[in-house]
Amino acid sequence: MSFFNRLAAVLVTAAMCGPIAPLQAGTKKGDKFLIQGRACEAKKDWDAALDFYEKALSEDPADVAYQMAAQKAGFQAAQSHIGKGMKVRAQGLLGEALIEFQKAYAINPGSAAAEQELRRTRDMIERERKRAEETGKESSPEQKAVTPAERARKEIDEKLASMLPVPELKPLSPEPIRLLKMNNSPKVLFETVAKVAGINVIWDPEYQSQAMVKGNLSVELDNSTVEQALDYLAVLTKSYWKPLSPNTIFITVDNQNKRRDYEEQVAKVFYLNNVSNPQEIQEIVNAVRAVADLQRFFPYNAQNAIVAKGSADQMALAEKFIHDLDKPRSEVVVDIIVMEASSVYTRQLASALASSGLNMPFGFTPRSGLKVVNNASTTPSTTGTTTGTTTGTTTTTTASNAIPLSSLGHLASADFSTVLPDALFQAVMSDARTKVIQSPQVRSIDNVKASLKIGDRQPTATGSFGSGIGSVGIGISPLMNTQFQFIDVGVNVDLTPRVHDNGDVSMLVEIDISSVTGHVNLGGIDQPIIGQRKISHSIRMREGEVNLLGGLITQQESKSVGGIPGLSRIPLIRRLFTNESVDRERRELMIALVPHIVRRPEFSAESLRGIAVGNQQFVHVSYGPRASAAPAAPAPAPLAAAPKAEELPATAPPAPGGAPAPPATAPPATAPPATAPPATAPPATEPSPLATAPPATAPSPPGDQTQPPAGNARVSFLPAQSEMNLSGRITVALIVEGGNDVASAPLQIQFDPKVLHLDDVGRGDFFSRDGQQPVFTKNILNDTGTAAITLNRPPGTPGATGAGVLITMIFQAVGRGSTTISIPNLSLRNTQGQVVASGSPQLTVNVK
């Protein structure tokens, strides 16, 4: 019976405790699906993970863990299909991309990205269908992959690239004018120089009437460029000229009104690379605006840029100033060494008897047989009288032991008592030595304050105030509120360096080394006592020089002796009657600074030299001879043999534009400058949809491939073969040898993506040796193992000649095996569109 009673009690207890414990959610089968889904999630297989999570959720739809896992996997799976769809759409496979986006939208109908990409892909498919109906042929994969937004951006980029800069004069020959003597009217002087240089002149209708007033002028030019000769004549005749095209100039009278009417305005955005705050940008803007006399010159802090508009000479001067001012600021690393050493020595010696002197009081303790008189003195303290009551008095009695004089003779030593001193012997010595070395390091930019704080923040009370409200008749003090201030305790350094060009460093240094040395109670509040050692210096020192900012040595000695007078001076035994204490304390502190310059100021010779900028009224920047990109045309006759002004016909000068026609090699008057992009479309053999700059010359049609090459150029890989380890990198160069007038080199690189990945492609020096920047675009597709490269000379420039590097490629090994890097159907063309080199160079790479 007792067994059943105990069993019932256990069951009742379990029933009572059961509702308190949390119920286990989920099912065994659902948990199994959950574990499988997490395994697929670890492998980034979101579709399989979502399938398992949905199966688990079907077992127990109310389980929160199943719901969270399914929602997360659904989002990730939809994003995964969106990424796959964008990748295949970039390859021109619009149908496959549409399927991926439909899967993403089916998984997550609330995904705005899936809906947007689905709609965009349908529009692209419809666009390609209409194009095929209109043209009768299918577009290339690269054209299919261009989205409407990308097409619009490409059109904007092409429009921006087609904007022409200020025209630059390019005469037929860059050779200077030699031995040219003239004596004639200003108009004839300008026309003579223009004829010698092979350029056209356009006149302001008002110029001739004003120029004839000056009469004939004499000038002699020798070893002067065309621009310099025109500037000389402009100063002599008070004229203003400007180029309208590479071979045409415009001339008018030089005054403020004509400058305002005809001077070209240039708009440009300057991007600053080395400023760190808006204040620096504003300082550059103020300085350049004042010196270059630019009215429209404004900062844009969000992009560290300056937007400007002004004349061409003003913008050139502003560009010069910004180039010289926008430089990286110097930086300094300062080692701060704080060395502190302290030594505390204490010794105490105490005697066995009376170490601090004798103090022995004797007390009177009479014997019982000795006659003692107790004198009691009574002092009234309180007397009270009350009507109808008895009057009472309270007295205080003081008793003292006294003996009659007749009993003095009976006193003995037994009637007195005293307390003997305790025996003591103490010998204590302590010797404590402490060494503290702190060596923080601070790095700061030139003329920028750097702060270093190492330690704690100690609270200190700075004041208190009360509400002043309290209950009347109740002993409750008003509430008090105490205000605290936190003080930095430890090593605090404030450093402002200034780096000089000769390697010196000027520093404004404030070093505060503090610590809590004790506490004191002030007004009921325990306040810390802070020991402070502070140094403020303004110093200049060499790089790497060790400078001692301050040193402090404190030495304190104290000695105290106590004991019995007389006995404390007896030799040998005086230690038994004395107490001696000796204290010695020594503290040393030294602070040193060691600066190290990590970046020096950059002052080049171009930054330090002065340049001519015109006069007080107008800004004018002159340029020296520059290397011409175009080949020098053979002069029909030496320039020294040019006709003198005296030999010219006395008839009226030729009409504007009547200058002799330039030779066939001269650029036409309508030719755009070298920076203008050509109007030809990119060749169909380039698969890159990102290339926005087409080659300088259109390639020959397929029927011209049988045309004999114009040269014997050779293209090969360097090195010819290579070995590398897994995860290693290799740099490969594609070189050309024996090139002659090479103008374009479209490349298609192929490699095995399972073994190699192409990290980057860089432009070589073959097309840029003369200072011209070639057109260079790249489109790397590591998923398919291809890369499309566009490499062309700038339009209107001759081809490159000789040997050099076309491109450099950086490959990374991602798998083991032997593979081949190839460039199929390579064809280099000259400026006439002829093939100068063809082939399919290959490079064998073995990955261990």
Side-chain angles (χ1 to χ4, degrees):
M1 191 68 179
S2 60
F3 171 76
F4 289 106
N5 292 335
R6 286 195 298 269
L7 180 60
V10 170
L11 294 177
V12 172
T13 303
M16 294 177 63
C17 296
I20 300 176
L23 296 176
Q24 297 295 329
T27 61
K28 292 183 178 180
K29 193 173 182 181
D31 292 341
K32 181 180 178 181
F33 289 139
L34 181 64
I35 295 174
Q36 292 175 345
R38 289 175 178 174
C40 296
E41 181 179 338
K43 299 177 182 179
K44 303 299 181 182
D45 188 358
W46 295 107
D47 290 337
L50 178 62
D51 183 54
F52 284 117
Y53 291 152
E54 289 179 346
K55 291 180 180 179
L57 193 61
S58 63
E59 296 292 331
D60 188 358
D63 190 275
V64 178
Y66 299 163
Q67 295 176 2
M68 294 176 59
Q71 291 178 0
K72 176 183 177 182
F75 175 79
Q76 294 292 348
Q79 292 298 117
S80 175
H81 284 290
I82 292 175
K84 293 178 181 178
M86 297 183 69
K87 187 176 295 184
V88 297
R89 189 177 65 186
Q91 301 174 8
L93 305 176
L94 301 182
E96 298 181 10
L98 182 64
I99 294 175
E100 294 294 336
F101 294 140
Q102 288 175 345
K103 290 180 180 179
Y105 187 76
I107 294 174
N108 186 8
S111 175
E115 182 181 0
Q116 182 181 15
E117 298 300 334
L118 185 62
R119 182 173 59 253
R120 182 177 299 165
T121 306
R122 287 174 177 168
D123 294 341
M124 294 170 65
I125 293 175
E126 182 65 21
R127 180 196 66 192
E128 294 303 321
R129 185 187 64 79
K130 292 181 180 179
R131 179 186 297 174
E133 293 177 355
E134 294 175 357
T135 61
K137 60 180 181 179
E138 188 177 357
S139 303
S140 64
E142 290 74 23
Q143 294 175 339
K144 292 180 179 179
V146 178
T147 63
E150 291 175 349
R151 180 179 296 274
R153 284 195 295 267
K154 184 178 180 180
E155 292 176 355
I156 294 175
D157 293 340
E158 291 176 352
K159 183 178 180 180
L160 294 177
S162 65
M163 292 182 179
L164 300 181
V166 176
E168 183 179 355
L169 186 62
K170 292 186 178 181
L172 290 179
S173 175
E175 296 295 328
I177 299 175
R178 302 183 185 276
L179 299 178
L180 180 59
K181 297 181 180 180
M182 297 179 290
N183 183 7
N184 214 315
S185 63
K187 192 169 185 296
V188 176
L189 296 180
F190 276 108
E191 288 177 342
T192 303
V193 173
K195 289 180 180 180
V196 173
I199 58 178
N200 302 318
V201 181
I202 297 179
W203 303 93
D204 183 7
E206 301 177 4
Y207 180 79
Q208 185 173 359
S209 60
Q210 300 182 20
M212 293 301 293
V213 179
K214 299 182 176 64
N216 292 345
L217 300 174
S218 297
V219 65
E220 181 177 350
L221 301 174
D222 186 16
N223 198 23
S224 301
T225 63
V226 177
E227 290 87 353
Q228 291 173 345
L230 293 175
D231 288 339
Y232 298 157
L233 294 179
V235 174
L236 185 64
T237 61
K238 299 186 182 306
S239 304
Y240 166 70
W241 71 274
K242 71 170 187 176
L244 296 180
S245 67
N247 65 339
T248 304
I249 62 173
F250 171 81
I251 300 177
T252 185
V253 181
D254 189 7
N255 55 49
Q256 190 170 3
N257 293 332
K258 294 297 183 180
R259 290 260 187 173
R260 184 176 59 250
D261 293 341
Y262 293 108
E263 195 170 31
E264 291 286 348
Q265 294 287 306
V266 178
K268 188 174 182 179
V269 179
F270 299 96
Y271 292 96
L272 307 179
N273 299 318
N274 300 297
V275 297
S276 57
N277 52 63
Q279 181 181 356
E280 296 181 18
I281 302 179
Q282 189 62 47
E283 290 177 357
I284 293 178
V285 168
N286 295 338
V288 177
R289 178 188 291 164
V291 178
D293 197 18
L294 276 168
Q295 301 299 325
R296 297 174 177 86
F297 200 72
F298 304 100
Y300 182 63
N301 297 327
Q303 293 291 336
N304 284 350
I306 299 175
V307 183
K309 179 186 176 184
S311 66
D313 290 327
Q314 288 176 331
M315 297 300 291
L317 183 59
E319 188 171 13
K320 158 72 174 172
F321 289 151
I322 292 176
H323 176 269
D324 294 341
L325 295 177
D326 184 26
K327 294 182 179 296
R329 303 176 68 175
S330 305
E331 291 188 66
V332 180
V333 173
V334 181
D335 293 328
I336 304 173
I337 304 174
V338 180
M339 294 171 285
E340 183 177 2
S342 62
S343 175
V344 180
Y345 174 82
T346 303
R347 187 188 67 186
Q348 291 184 353
L349 295 177
S351 64
L353 298 173
S355 60
S356 60
L358 291 178
N359 185 8
M360 302 173 59
F362 288 86
F364 180 59
T365 56
R367 292 164 295 166
S368 58
L370 189 63
K371 184 178 180 180
V372 179
V373 179
N374 292 326
N375 290 331
S377 59
T378 302
T379 303
S381 60
T382 304
T383 301
T385 303
T386 305
T387 305
T389 61
T390 304
T391 301
T393 302
T394 304
T395 59
T396 301
T397 303
T398 304
S400 63
N401 292 329
I403 61 173
L405 294 177
S406 59
S407 300
L408 289 177
H410 300 284
L411 291 177
S413 60
D415 297 327
F416 297 91
S417 62
T418 184
V419 179
L420 295 177
D422 297 333
L424 173 66
F425 179 78
Q426 182 180 11
V428 179
M429 184 188 72
S430 65
D431 188 0
R433 298 178 184 270
T434 305
K435 294 182 180 180
V436 178
I437 298 179
Q438 295 175 328
S439 182
Q441 194 176 69
V442 180
R443 179 165 180 165
S444 176
I445 302 177
D446 182 72
N447 206 25
V448 176
K449 181 179 179 181
S451 298
L452 174 67
K453 299 182 184 297
I454 302 175
D456 303 325
R457 304 199 71 192
Q458 184 70 29
T460 59
T462 58
S464 61
F465 63 92
S467 62
I469 300 175
S471 301
V472 179
I474 301 176
I476 300 177
S477 61
L479 296 177
M480 300 296 293
N481 293 323
T482 305
Q483 298 175 342
F484 289 90
Q485 179 182 359
F486 288 86
I487 300 177
D488 294 320
V489 177
V491 178
N492 303 313
V493 180
D494 290 333
L495 179 69
T496 305
R498 188 63 183 269
V499 181
H500 303 279
D501 189 32
N502 62 349
D504 289 357
V505 180
S506 297
M507 289 184 290
L508 178 61
V509 184
E510 292 186 4
I511 299 180
D512 185 359
I513 302 174
S514 56
S515 60
V516 178
T517 60
H519 291 80
V520 61
N521 191 289
L522 298 177
I525 299 177
D526 193 23
Q527 298 275 43
I529 301 175
I530 298 176
Q532 187 180 53
R533 283 154 291 184
K534 186 174 183 180
I535 296 176
S536 296
H537 268 299
S538 181
I539 57 176
R540 177 167 176 165
M541 53 194 301
R542 301 286 296 176
E543 179 187 7
E545 179 184 354
V546 180
N547 182 60
L548 297 179
L549 283 186
L552 176 64
I553 298 178
T554 304
Q555 187 170 353
Q556 181 179 356
E557 293 187 6
S558 61
K559 181 178 180 180
S560 61
V561 179
I564 301 175
L567 297 179
S568 61
R569 296 181 178 273
I570 300 176
L572 299 179
I573 65 172
R574 68 181 185 86
R575 295 289 184 184
L576 299 176
F577 307 100
T578 58
N579 179 14
E580 182 178 308
S581 176
V582 178
D583 295 328
R584 297 190 185 96
E585 183 176 355
R586 179 182 177 90
R587 297 183 182 273
E588 299 180 8
L589 173 66
M590 184 177 67
I591 302 173
L593 292 183
V594 184
H596 304 282
I597 300 176
V598 296
R599 181 181 289 116
R600 294 180 180 271
E602 297 180 3
F603 300 135
S604 61
E606 295 298 325
S607 301
L608 297 176
R609 72 182 184 94
I611 59 173
V613 294
N615 53 36
Q616 182 71 23
Q617 189 175 6
F618 302 111
V619 175
H620 177 68
V621 179
S622 301
Y623 298 93
R626 287 170 288 178
S628 177
L639 293 178
K644 298 183 179 179
E646 294 85 344
E647 301 175 1
L648 294 177
T651 58
T665 56
T670 58
T675 56
T680 57
T685 56
E686 295 181 18
S688 173
L690 303 176
T692 58
T697 57
S700 302
D704 293 346
Q705 296 295 336
T706 58
Q707 185 177 357
N712 55 352
R714 298 178 304 277
V715 181
S716 60
F717 282 103
L718 185 69
Q721 60 182 1
S722 176
E723 291 186 0
M724 57 190 305
N725 296 326
L726 186 63
S727 300
R729 289 191 176 187
I730 182 175
T731 301
V732 179
L734 186 66
I735 62 174
V736 58
E737 297 174 303
N740 184 19
D741 193 28
V742 181
S744 63
L747 308 173
Q748 182 79 18
I749 306 172
Q750 293 184 357
F751 54 93
D752 187 1
K754 297 180 181 179
V755 181
L756 297 176
H757 269 198
L758 181 55
D759 291 343
D760 194 14
V761 178
R763 172 175 53 84
D765 62 344
F766 182 69
F767 279 163
S768 59
R769 290 181 176 177
D770 58 350
Q772 298 290 334
Q773 296 298 323
V775 178
F776 176 70
T777 61
K778 56 185 176 181
N779 183 26
I780 302 174
L781 302 175
N782 279 313
D783 294 336
T784 59
T786 59
I789 309 299
T790 300
L791 188 61
N792 306 296
R793 288 281 293 172
T797 60
T801 304
V805 179
L806 284 175
I807 59 172
T808 58
M809 296 159 282
I810 302 176
F811 288 92
Q812 183 178 8
V814 296
R816 290 186 172 88
S818 180
T819 184
T820 302
I821 303 172
S822 62
I823 301 181
N825 301 324
L826 171 65
S827 61
L828 305 185
R829 298 180 181 271
N830 58 13
T831 54
Q832 305 300 324
Q834 298 175 339
V835 178
V836 297
S838 61
S840 299
Q842 295 182 352
L843 167 65
T844 301
V845 179
N846 185 19
V847 181
K848 300 179 181 179

